[in-house]
Amino acid sequence: MKRGLVLAFTAVLVAFFYVPFGNAADGRIVLLVPEEARTQFLREMRGHLASLEEILSAIAEEDFKGAAEVAENHLKFGPSIWAEMASHGMTPGNIAKMRKQYRGMSSVERQKLNSKMGVEGRANLPASFENSVQLFYSATGNFAEVAKTVGDPPTPEDYESVILALKEITSICRRCHDDYQLK
């Protein structure tokens, strides 16, 4: 039964994320992003969706540690950004230094660091969007921590906690898709 509920939730989640963006006339804030950055942005969003599917599969298999690992390694800030930096010749030490600097910065500070990293001009995103992004990363960290605490065997309360933490992530995703349109 638990597996059926998780699979049903997966189907709803997949259907939601595969709904295409609407028109600018729909009231959402248009994010003007250069083509190269837009391609990377969409790749990142599709990667998030794939990661959410992996998390749901792990939950269905009662692999909560695996679900936490997916959240930490694929949903928290930066996997594709850090990989891109490495592909441009940055050393692992320099990347680690940048990661440390990036945590906890305001959107203005992050824009300055983006400029230092050579990614300026890719997009001029509003602070409200940047805040949504930070909420997403915070929620993924929260989910990972909750999933790590699940007992063996998991209790109904464990499932409830994990699903509520996952709902926090998907609610942020939904709000962002409701509020913004990529152009």
Side-chain angles (χ1 to χ4, degrees), residues 4-27:
L5 288 173
V6 171
L7 292 175
F9 185 69
T10 301
V12 170
L13 184 66
V14 170
F16 168 76
F17 280 105
Y18 279 107
V19 172
F21 286 107
N23 299 326
D26 67 7

Side-chain angles (χ1 to χ4, degrees), residues 47-163:
H48 287 166
L49 179 56
S51 295
L52 287 168
E53 288 178 307
E54 284 183 56
I55 287 170
L56 288 166
S57 293
I59 292 169
E61 296 169 7
E62 296 185 356
D63 180 10
F64 296 95
K65 305 296 186 260
E69 187 176 310
V70 171
E72 288 180 322
N73 294 325
H74 300 288
L75 289 180
K76 286 188 94 175
F77 176 74
S80 66
I81 292 170
W82 310 128
E84 181 181 346
M85 291 168 67
S87 75
H88 285 91
M90 285 194 93
T91 67
N94 286 340
I95 293 170
K97 185 177 176 181
M98 290 287 192
R99 287 177 78 163
K100 186 175 181 181
Q101 287 178 321
Y102 210 85
R103 289 188 192 118
M105 288 183 166
S106 70
S107 61
V108 171
E109 292 169 321
R110 282 193 303 276
Q111 286 175 350
K112 286 180 185 176
L113 183 58
N114 287 345
S115 178
K116 184 177 176 181
M117 292 188 301
V119 294
E120 69 274 10
R122 297 178 111 192
N124 186 13
L125 303 173
S128 59
F129 177 79
E130 293 284 344
N131 291 336
S132 294
V133 170
Q134 292 308 308
L135 286 172
F136 174 80
Y137 295 133
S138 176
T140 62
N142 179 58
F143 170 83
E145 292 306 313
V146 168
K148 287 178 187 178
T149 66
V150 171
D152 188 19
T155 66
E157 292 79 16
D158 288 330
Y159 275 97
E160 183 178 352
S161 296
V162 167
I163 295 300

